[in-house]
Amino acid sequence: MCNFEPKLIALIDDELSVEEAERVERHLSECNECRERLARYKDVSKGLVAYCEVVARENAPDKKQRWTVPVLSLVAAVIVVFFLAWTRSEKPIVQTPEVLTASIPAVEKNEIKPALVKPIRRRHRVATKEISRQTGNWRSTGGAVQIAIPADSMFAPGAVPQGMNFIAELRIAPDGSVEQVLLRQ
Amino acid sequence: MGDDSIPLSLPLARFAADSTEVTALFREQSKSLLRYVVCLGLSKDEAQDIVQDVFVSLQHHLARGGSQENIRGWLFRVAHNQARNRQKSYERRFAEPLAADMDFLSVDATPEKRVLEQEKFRRLAVAVRLLNDIERECLLLRREGLRYREIGEVLGIATSTVGDTVERAIKKLAEKCNV
């Protein structure tokens, strides 16, 4: 490799001192290889200019990505609000005596208060009814995007009855914005 | 390399922190900034947002009596940082540039030459994507006419490192394009 090769690109970019540039120019008059390299590097630089122009001109926003994040965030927020409203309408979950015994080692079995031995109430059947009542008037629209959202991916394990899932129906306007969000089970 | 450049340092009297000077600077540099941000991988909409924010920030910077040395470098540094912050939020993807759009070729290019140039352009586009972030950013800023020292200030690296990085990146592209 020629000793002047590392300076060729700096010469193109006018980043050499006057003396250095003169030395490189003198070398170029004597070295075919460096002249060819210089021509190649100039060619690449021109190609980069064209590349940037094409990218700047033809880069269009990814329409799907444009609305995916905000819409999913909206759907997640709706689900959280809905779930909070639903859980507030129910009494707090009570734990089985076995669990309490493990978490409160100082409590003797015969000292457990009666309220703590109540069985877990089955809520999913009631929840299904409530959701049905709330979503009964919603109509599915043609051309909408449906997103299946497993409840397990949204909430901590055990926070929702097993097998519960949500489906978010998004009606998308021609300009890519979301016209309507329908949530159903 | 760039065609929308302004002098490195401007007389202090030119900047009076009023909107007129900032507007003039906007006209001079916004296209270049926009192109740089888009080539980093952001959409045109986001790039426009960033460029507008940059000039609003410039106005505040000048109103606070901020340094007026190398305003161009300042603009690119702020734009670069904002672009990088947005890119961290979610993955950026953009369509491969259409190699069919070869209007930068001379009008009398033969069909054979067009095919060759198109292939060379396609390889260049692929090779640019294979560069690492610093190499790509150095080349993009170089394309916008920034000097190595300015590039170093934008990216937070030494001027000598910029020179080495530019040299390495250009050689990589030349090799991959078989130029």
Side-chain angles (χ1 to χ4, degrees):
Chain A
M1 189 180 82
C2 183
N3 289 338
F4 285 88
E5 195 200 348
K7 299 197 184 294
L8 294 179
I9 295 167
L11 178 72
I12 294 172
D13 294 342
D14 196 24
E15 291 280 347
L16 296 176
S17 64
V18 172
E19 296 80 17
E20 272 185 316
E22 282 176 358
R23 271 204 299 274
V24 176
E25 294 282 2
R26 271 200 301 275
H27 172 75
L28 284 171
S29 64
E30 299 160 358
C31 180
N32 284 343
E33 219 174 300
C34 278
R35 274 203 303 278
E36 284 172 9
R37 284 195 192 103
L38 187 74
R40 280 204 296 272
Y41 298 154
K42 282 183 178 175
D43 209 23
V44 167
S45 299
K46 276 188 204 161
L48 270 172
V49 171
Y51 169 82
C52 291
E53 287 298 327
V54 171
V55 170
R57 195 168 50 230
E58 301 195 356
N59 183 25
D62 184 341
K63 281 199 174 160
K64 182 177 174 185
Q65 189 176 46
R66 206 171 157 192
W67 59 258
T68 297
V69 171
V71 164
L72 282 180
S73 303
L74 173 68
V75 168
V78 166
I79 291 171
V80 168
V81 167
F82 176 78
F83 181 71
L84 287 175
W86 170 58
T87 52
R88 277 194 188 134
S89 67
E90 301 292 340
K91 290 187 181 174
I93 296 173
V94 296
Q95 295 179 342
T96 61
E98 291 74 20
V99 173
L100 278 178
T101 304
S103 61
I104 312 176
V107 177
E108 297 291 333
K109 271 196 177 174
N110 57 3
E111 292 179 11
I112 295 173
K113 295 181 182 176
L116 298 175
V117 300
K118 278 189 182 173
I120 296 172
R121 294 172 56 186
R122 292 182 174 276
R123 282 187 198 78
H124 63 269
R125 211 176 290 166
V126 175
T128 303
K129 281 185 189 171
E130 287 179 351
I131 291 170
S132 298
R133 194 163 55 241
Q134 289 174 19
T135 60
N137 292 329
W138 290 10
R139 293 178 292 111
S140 148
T141 58
V145 174
Q146 290 188 343
I147 303 171
I149 306 171
D152 288 344
S153 67
M154 302 290 300
F155 303 105
V160 295
Q162 198 172 7
M164 178 181 273
N165 291 313
F166 297 97
I167 293 178
E169 261 189 28
L170 309 161
R171 186 186 295 169
I172 309 300
D175 65 355
S177 61
V178 175
E179 276 185 344
Q180 189 178 15
V181 176
L182 308 178
L183 188 66
R184 59 186 172 87
Q185 202 184 22
Chain B
M1 300 252 41
D3 52 359
D4 303 334
S5 56
I6 56 173
L8 271 178
S9 59
L10 296 165
L12 290 179
R14 186 176 162 179
F15 286 124
D18 61 78
S19 59
T20 311
E21 296 296 342
V22 175
T23 305
L25 207 52
F26 181 85
R27 276 198 292 272
E28 289 170 5
Q29 292 295 310
S30 59
K31 184 181 171 187
S32 193
L33 282 167
L34 195 70
R35 186 169 47 220
Y36 173 66
V37 174
V38 166
C39 287
L40 279 182
L42 277 75
S43 71
K44 258 188 197 159
D45 290 344
E46 286 169 323
Q48 279 165 357
D49 283 346
I50 287 174
V51 169
Q52 296 212 355
D53 285 349
V54 164
F55 280 92
V56 169
S57 299
L58 175 66
Q59 201 152 8
H60 292 315
H61 172 75
L62 296 175
R64 282 194 305 266
S67 167
Q68 299 184 19
E69 185 185 346
N70 191 14
I71 288 290
R72 181 175 64 174
W74 188 94
L75 290 171
F76 273 92
R77 187 168 69 248
V78 174
H80 172 85
N81 291 338
Q82 287 208 11
R84 279 298 179 218
N85 286 342
R86 288 210 190 194
Q87 283 181 315
K88 281 177 193 167
S89 301
Y90 46 95
E91 188 186 338
R92 293 278 87 212
R93 295 190 305 273
F94 53 93
E96 192 77 21
L98 293 177
D101 189 350
M102 306 286 285
D103 58 358
F104 53 86
L105 283 179
S106 63
V107 293
D108 56 354
T110 62
E112 291 79 15
K113 188 172 179 188
R114 280 191 173 270
V115 168
L116 283 171
E117 292 294 326
Q118 195 165 345
E119 174 60 17
K120 204 194 302 185
F121 182 85
R122 188 194 64 79
R123 286 188 199 176
L124 178 71
V126 169
V128 169
R129 303 293 179 90
L130 292 176
L131 295 174
N132 64 42
D133 285 350
I134 289 287
E135 288 169 345
R136 194 179 314 114
E137 288 159 6
C138 281
L139 290 189
L140 293 178
L141 290 167
R142 171 182 179 260
R143 183 261 169 269
E144 299 305 332
L146 272 69
R147 305 298 298 245
Y148 289 3
R149 184 179 62 83
E150 291 176 290
I151 294 173
E153 285 172 5
V154 171
L155 301 180
I157 56 179
T159 307
S160 57
T161 307
V162 173
D164 293 340
T165 305
V166 167
E167 185 203 337
R168 188 172 64 239
I170 293 283
K171 283 182 180 172
K172 274 189 191 178
L173 296 184
E175 192 183 320
K176 292 219 162 40
C177 295
N178 284 333
V179 176

